[in-house]
């Protein structure tokens, strides 16, 4: 939708979201406790909702007022793109390429530092570059940069493509995940000994040099399950063996040092 004013943008959004929910104007008007003629006037752009009306619309469609008023939501084709983040629903419109494949947002290294504050900001997400992978099944996907050497063979310059998990209970023991955390921002780790009753995740690095640690559930904002990776480096098996030997050597040196103390 091009050159839309805020008023007409809101009008298009109301009509589009109503149709996605397969509701008539009368049914939605009844749910919002407004006359059908009033709703029709909103959708036609002849009038604008009061603050009470905007609040009711945002609550009904489970989006923020800011999203409803300032974003073009007509590209959204499935309400499954409504994600539960930070205790509230945020809508991330899914876009598709010419072949109908879902576009995947990539979080560049420079943007990853601001992801903790921007992950629930529609403008931040919409500004991310996008790619498409034809073999990706339906779902919400995002690509995250690898920083550091804790998860070989992936290293700096690689991207992990993750599928958004709606609930912590969907985690599979032994699999790897990109996790947005309260204190450390984005981390990519393998989860072992997963048990919902523990109230925390045990995060492990594939590089034995790094020790596993606990991450309480309440410090988790997002979880993305590993689907595939884009690794631009051609790392040789001998390089991996060298990393393992370095890790073992470090552990031996640490043990020797502790024995002397």
């Amino acid at each position: 939708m091009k050159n839309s004013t805020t008023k007409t943008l809101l009008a298009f959004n109301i009509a589009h979201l109503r149709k996605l929910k397969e509701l008539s104007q009368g049914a939605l008007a009844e749910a919002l406790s407004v006359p059908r003629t009033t709703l029709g006037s909103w959708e036609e752009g002849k009038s604008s909702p009061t603050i009470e009306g905007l609040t009711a619309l945002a609550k009904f469609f489970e989006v923020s007022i800011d999203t409803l008023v300032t974003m073009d939501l007509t590209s959204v084709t499935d309400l499954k793109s409504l994600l539960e983040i930070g205790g509230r629903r945020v809508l991330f419109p899914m876009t598709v390429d010419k072949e109908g494949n879902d576009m995947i947002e990539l979080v560049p290294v420079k943007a990853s530092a601001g992801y903790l504050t921007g992950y629930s900001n529609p403008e931040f997400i919409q500004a991310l570059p996008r790619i498409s992978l034809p073999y990706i099944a339906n779902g919400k996907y995002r690509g995250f940069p690898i920083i550091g050497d804790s998860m070989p063979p992936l290293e700096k310059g690689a991207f992990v493509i993750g599928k958004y998990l709606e609930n912590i209970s969907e985690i599979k023991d032994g699999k790897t995940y990109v996790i947005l955390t309260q204190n450390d921002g984005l981390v990519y780790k393998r989860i072992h000994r997963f048990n919902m009753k523990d109230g925390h995740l045990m995060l492990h690095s594939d590089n034995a040099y790094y020790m596993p640690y606990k991450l309480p559930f309440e410090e988790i904002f997002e979880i993305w399950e590993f689907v595939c990776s884009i690794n631009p480096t051609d790392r040789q098996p001998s390089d991996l063996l060298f990393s393992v030997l370095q890790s073992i050597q470090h552990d031996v040196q640490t043990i020797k040092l502790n024995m002397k103390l």
Side-chain angles (χ1 to χ4, degrees):
M1 189 188 310
K2 297 180 179 179
N3 300 323
S4 296
T5 65
T6 299
K7 185 175 181 179
T8 57
L9 188 64
L10 174 61
F12 278 112
N13 285 341
I14 295 172
H16 181 67
L17 293 178
R18 173 178 62 79
K19 292 173 184 176
L20 283 183
K21 280 188 171 287
E22 300 181 348
L23 295 174
S24 65
Q25 280 191 344
L28 178 56
E30 183 178 353
L32 298 175
S33 298
V34 299
R36 190 200 63 76
T37 53
T38 297
L39 178 62
S41 180
W42 294 348
E43 291 190 2
E44 293 171 10
K46 295 179 179 179
S47 66
S48 297
T50 62
I51 187 62
E52 291 79 10
L54 281 174
T55 301
L57 285 164
K59 184 177 180 180
F60 183 83
F61 291 119
E62 298 183 281
V63 297
S64 67
I65 293 177
D66 180 67
T67 298
L68 193 62
V69 172
T70 65
M71 289 184 62
D72 178 4
L73 305 180
T74 58
S75 61
V76 177
T77 59
D78 189 344
L79 286 178
K80 291 181 180 178
S81 58
L82 282 168
L83 306 180
E84 183 74 31
I85 295 178
R88 62 191 180 91
R89 301 291 280 186
V90 176
L91 192 145
F92 292 125
M94 289 185 177
T95 56
V96 297
D97 61 16
K98 294 180 180 179
E99 285 71 41
N101 301 307
D102 290 340
M103 299 294 286
I104 300 169
E105 300 122 353
L106 286 182
V107 181
V109 174
K110 290 183 178 180
S112 63
Y115 189 80
L116 182 59
T117 56
Y119 75 99
S120 61
N121 183 340
E123 292 183 1
F124 177 88
I125 298 302
Q126 283 200 322
L128 296 175
R130 287 169 169 78
I131 63 170
S132 62
L133 297 174
Y135 53 84
I136 293 295
N138 291 335
K140 181 62 185 178
Y141 297 88
R142 190 161 293 158
F144 299 92
I146 293 296
I147 301 173
D149 60 351
S150 67
M151 297 295 286
L154 298 180
E155 55 188 19
K156 185 177 180 180
F159 279 86
V160 166
I161 307 300
K163 181 178 181 180
Y164 183 81
L165 293 190
E166 292 282 353
N167 198 291
I168 291 177
S169 63
E170 298 178 39
I171 288 175
K172 302 178 183 68
D173 197 62
K175 300 294 185 179
T176 60
Y177 298 84
V178 174
I179 306 171
L180 180 61
T181 70
Q182 178 179 330
N183 298 315
D184 297 326
L186 289 169
V187 298
Y188 174 52
K189 298 295 179 183
R190 191 176 301 277
I191 296 176
H192 285 301
R193 301 189 300 277
F194 172 65
N195 190 328
M196 282 292 293
K197 295 180 180 179
D198 291 339
H200 65 262
L201 300 178
M202 283 301 302
L203 303 186
H204 294 252
S205 299
D206 287 349
N207 183 343
Y209 178 86
Y210 299 94
M211 298 294 293
Y213 62 95
K214 294 180 180 180
L215 177 66
F217 288 167
E218 59 267 24
E219 294 183 12
I220 298 172
F221 293 144
E222 289 183 344
I223 303 179
W224 301 80
E225 181 180 12
F226 175 91
V227 174
C228 65
S229 63
I230 302 173
N231 196 355
T233 62
D234 184 19
R235 199 170 184 185
Q236 301 300 313
S238 57
D239 296 332
L240 297 179
L241 178 59
F242 179 71
S243 295
V244 172
L245 291 176
Q246 274 191 320
S247 178
I248 294 175
Q249 184 181 23
H250 175 270
D251 292 341
V252 171
Q253 290 175 341
T254 301
I255 292 172
K256 287 182 178 180
L257 180 62
N258 290 335
M259 290 176 66
K260 292 179 181 179
L261 295 178

